[in-house]
Amino acid sequence: MRVQARDLAVREAKLEALQKKLTESVGALVTGEDWKRALEFAAKFRGRSFGNTMLIAVQHYAAFQQGRVPEPMPTYVAGFKQWLSLNRSVMKGQSGYAILAPVTARFASSNPSDLDSWRRLAHGEKPGFGEAVRSKLVGLKPAHVWDISQTDGQPIPEPPAPALLQGQAPEGLWEGLADQITAHGFELRLVSNAKSIGGANGLTDYMTREVSVRMDMDDAAQVKTLAHDLLTAPTGAS
């Protein structure tokens, strides 16, 4: 019983330290450019929360300053077992980056519409006959991940790079899509290259009510981009 209490106290202390580090790292973002860089970095790790992304960034930069990693920004992070499943292993002497991992539990109820009827299932316990089961977040725990630069082994598979369509589009398709763009109250702009629209092939801006498409692509790629931007979410890029 004392061991469990001691383990719980250690976990709580680690959680408190992580929360403090997270608060400090977010508090250090004081300018528009700081926030822009932070959001651009977070966008690369869409599978992780913004808080965990900040924790990874802060710890990785500290490792860079200590000479433990070659670059100031992390690229691909994963847990110890996940790296093993990719035939890579954490190198000796490399410390993991602490993050906040969710703790879930299973709950069962014979009357799901009654919120008070849900009971937590013990480890290994099976629900009763006819009971509905759902998982619920019940807390957080410290966990660790490592950047690929902290591991060695087999190269990780690279996803195929997207390629622009080549050739001509079906006759009249551009005109038909352009008519729908203008019918929705947008102005269609043709720009010389991707640099004009932040590196994208096309851009839909709901603030200015404009759809921009780069013209240094084949006809088929331009039409594909126009079709994408016709359906894009507010302020999106293709």
Side-chain angles (χ1 to χ4, degrees), residues 76-89 148 151-157:
Y76 189 101
V77 295
F80 189 87
K81 291 183 178 180
Q82 187 177 359
W83 280 125
L84 289 179
S85 71
L86 294 170
N87 296 314
R88 296 186 67 87
S89 57
I148 188 173
T151 68
D152 55 17
Q154 296 294 320
I156 61 173

Side-chain angles (χ1 to χ4, degrees), residues 36-57:
K36 181 181 178 181
R37 286 194 297 270
L39 292 172
E40 288 176 345
F41 173 67
K44 298 178 182 179
F45 294 89
R46 295 181 181 179
R48 301 191 186 278
S49 69
F50 180 77
N52 277 337
T53 302
M54 290 297 97
L55 286 172
I56 292 169

Side-chain angles (χ1 to χ4, degrees), residues 9 12 28-29 49 59 74 82 85 112 136 138 153 186 234 237:
E12 290 297 325
L29 303 175
S49 69
Q59 293 171 89
Q82 187 177 359
S85 71
K136 179 181 176 182
V138 295
F186 287 79

Side-chain angles (χ1 to χ4, degrees), residues 26-213:
V26 174
L29 303 175
V30 294
T31 69
E33 284 300 312
D34 287 340
W35 276 106
K36 181 181 178 181
R37 286 194 297 270
L39 292 172
E40 288 176 345
F41 173 67
K44 298 178 182 179
F45 294 89
R46 295 181 181 179
R48 301 191 186 278
S49 69
F50 180 77
N52 277 337
T53 302
M54 290 297 97
L55 286 172
I56 292 169
V58 169
Q59 293 171 89
H60 185 87
Y61 187 71
F64 170 73
Q65 291 181 312
Q66 296 164 9
R68 293 194 290 114
V69 293
E71 299 293 337
M73 295 285 276
T75 54
Y76 189 101
V77 295
F80 189 87
K81 291 183 178 180
Q82 187 177 359
W83 280 125
L84 289 179
S85 71
L86 294 170
N87 296 314
R88 296 186 67 87
S89 57
V90 175
M91 293 185 289
K92 186 176 180 180
Q94 287 289 353
S95 301
Y97 306 147
I99 62 172
L100 298 168
V103 177
T104 59
R106 294 190 310 146
F107 291 78
S109 171
S110 57
N111 184 18
S113 60
D114 181 3
L115 298 180
D116 294 329
S117 68
W118 289 90
R119 61 185 181 84
R120 182 170 177 172
L121 296 174
H123 181 69
E125 180 184 359
K126 295 182 179 180
F129 179 77
E131 283 190 316
V133 179
R134 71 180 184 187
S135 295
K136 179 181 176 182
L137 179 69
V138 295
L140 297 169
K141 65 179 180 180
H144 291 83
V145 293
W146 287 260
D147 185 67
I148 188 173
S149 61
Q150 298 175 288
T151 68
D152 55 17
Q154 296 294 320
I156 61 173
E158 292 289 341
L164 294 175
L165 295 179
Q166 297 180 339
Q168 296 295 310
E171 185 177 353
L173 184 54
W174 172 274
E175 290 77 8
L177 293 171
D179 287 344
Q180 292 189 55
I181 292 286
T182 56
H184 282 80
F186 287 79
E187 180 184 351
L188 180 58
R189 296 175 60 243
L190 304 179
V191 299
S192 58
N193 52 54
K195 186 177 180 180
S196 305
I197 47 178
N201 296 328
L203 179 71
T204 300
D205 191 331
Y206 271 58
M207 296 295 292
T208 61
R209 306 292 289 181
E210 292 178 336
V211 173
S212 303
V213 178

